[in-house]
Amino acid sequence: MRLARLQQLTTLGLAAFAVSWALYWLAEGRAMLAAAGALVIVLGYSAVLALEFIMLRAAHGSDPAPRARPAELLGAWWGEVHAAPRVFCWQQPFRSLRFADHLPPDSRGRRGVVLVHGFVCNRGIWNPWLARLHAAGVPCVAVDLAPVFGSIDQYVDIIEDAVRRIEQATGRAPVIVAHSMGGLALRRWWAERGDAMRVHHAITIGTPHRGTWLARFAFSLNGRQMRQDSGWLRSLAERESPKLARSLTCFYGHCDNIVFPPSTATWPGADNRHLSGVAHVDMVMRPEPWAELQRWLQD
């Protein structure tokens, strides 16, 4: 089942459950119970997010990144409470095809962009980016990684197809932007198919380059591959060229509720940029990664 369809069913199912609960208890004359239950159903995810922020705080340990202050964690949680439903209940399930890949006739000679999403996401997460790239006439391709819960190794051909389309349309190596697990998919492709001539620059946003503490609870294959010091991550690092870091900008943050401790989203020798007070999904909409993309598009 496509991820978009699964998230459509989940979103509509929760909405139907909340409405049914409210109508039932209203009919029983229990208005307070009707309202409270509906709110728990609709906003329960915010409690899960809060638990993630508690865990990231506890797991920080001796990580060299600055420890987030309580006010920063609260602000990041609030930002993610707003970002999560927008992405997972609207953009991805219902609007993932809103913006097609953009390869206009005048693409030749221009610098293009490949966008790679992360775990349990699809190309819909990039809609705000795609809208701006379309408006600017920038050639761009946004992938859909499948299978959703398969091995990261299975995404190599998908990224290869996207890069080839940009290469053929523009005659130039693209800038590749990847969020979360997408950065590992990018590195896996890079180790097998990429070289210094095929990637102008790569930008990762909240990518667990060295795994994430939270992945110890993962059941899917790609989730287990993202565990800290996993065999898959060690094997990938052994296959990679040391030159990769020169072409890589890594955005990471001390309020990332999915990839933590924070420095696990950095890579030795890369241009590692700290984003303060912003959570995992909300990172995509921060101005800094977009500005970094614009810088490399002009280079």
Side-chain angles (χ1 to χ4, degrees):
M1 180 183 293
R2 289 177 58 241
L3 180 68
R5 180 59 57 85
L6 178 61
Q7 291 183 341
Q8 287 172 9
L9 293 175
T10 301
T11 299
L12 296 175
L14 285 173
F17 184 28
V19 170
S20 298
W21 175 281
L23 291 177
Y24 175 82
W25 288 109
L26 282 173
E28 295 291 318
R30 305 285 298 276
M32 290 294 293
L33 183 58
L39 285 174
V40 168
I41 295 167
V42 173
L43 299 178
Y45 74 94
S46 63
V48 176
L49 291 174
L51 178 60
E52 292 172 351
F53 280 95
I54 292 170
M55 289 190 288
L56 84 83
R57 175 79 172 179
H60 190 280
S62 59
D63 191 90
R67 184 181 290 273
R69 301 188 305 273
E72 290 176 313
L73 292 170
L74 181 61
W77 170 80
W78 185 244
E80 202 75 345
V81 166
H82 287 82
R86 183 182 69 245
V87 170
F88 294 105
C89 299
W90 179 241
Q91 290 176 206
Q92 292 186 168
F94 300 105
R95 306 286 282 179
S96 66
L97 301 179
R98 170 66 180 82
F99 296 98
D101 294 335
H102 187 58
L103 299 171
D106 63 348
S107 293
R108 200 72 184 171
R110 303 191 67 177
R111 185 73 68 189
V113 180
V114 174
L115 300 170
V116 187
H117 64 78
F119 183 62
V120 197
C121 288
N122 64 24
R123 67 193 304 280
I125 195 173
W126 297 111
N127 279 1
W129 288 56
L130 288 167
R132 287 183 282 181
L133 291 171
H134 278 229
V138 176
C140 56
V141 173
V143 304
D144 265 329
L145 300 179
V148 176
F149 301 112
S151 170
I152 297 173
D153 300 308
Q154 295 176 273
Y155 305 144
V156 169
D157 288 341
I158 297 171
I159 296 176
E160 172 67 17
D161 178 69
V163 172
R164 281 193 180 277
R165 291 175 63 200
I166 289 289
E167 289 173 332
Q168 291 168 1
T170 68
R172 307 183 74 183
V175 179
I176 305 179
V177 184
H179 177 240
S180 194
M181 181 197 70
L184 296 179
L186 162 62
R187 284 175 51 198
R188 178 64 181 82
W189 166 83
W190 211 337
E192 182 174 330
R193 309 281 183 89
D195 56 45
M197 302 299 294
R198 300 195 70 196
V199 180
H200 181 57
H201 196 75
I203 301 167
T204 64
I205 307 168
T207 287
H209 288 294
R210 290 181 278 172
T212 172
W213 185 94
L214 195 62
R216 65 188 59 201
F217 303 112
F219 292 100
S220 68
L221 179 53
N222 47 7
R224 297 195 303 272
Q225 289 171 332
M226 290 186 282
R227 290 173 179 170
Q228 289 178 280
D229 199 35
S230 73
W232 186 87
L233 285 172
R234 291 197 304 271
S235 175
L236 175 60
E238 290 169 359
R239 300 180 59 180
E240 291 175 311
S241 167
K243 298 178 180 179
L244 178 149
R246 303 175 194 170
S247 301
L248 185 60
T249 300
C250 303
F251 287 95
Y252 72 106
H254 60 181
C255 291
D256 188 331
N257 55 307
I258 298 297
V259 179
F260 58 84
S263 294
T264 57
T266 66
W267 190 249
D271 182 4
N272 297 303
R273 311 271 192 91
H274 184 256
L275 295 176
S276 181
V278 62
H280 189 69
V281 173
D282 207 19
M283 278 184 174
V284 174
M285 293 312 301
R286 278 288 290 259
E288 294 90 342
W290 175 258
E292 180 71 356
L293 170 61
Q294 299 311 302
R295 182 167 79 90
W296 287 102
L297 286 177
Q298 302 305 317
D299 184 43

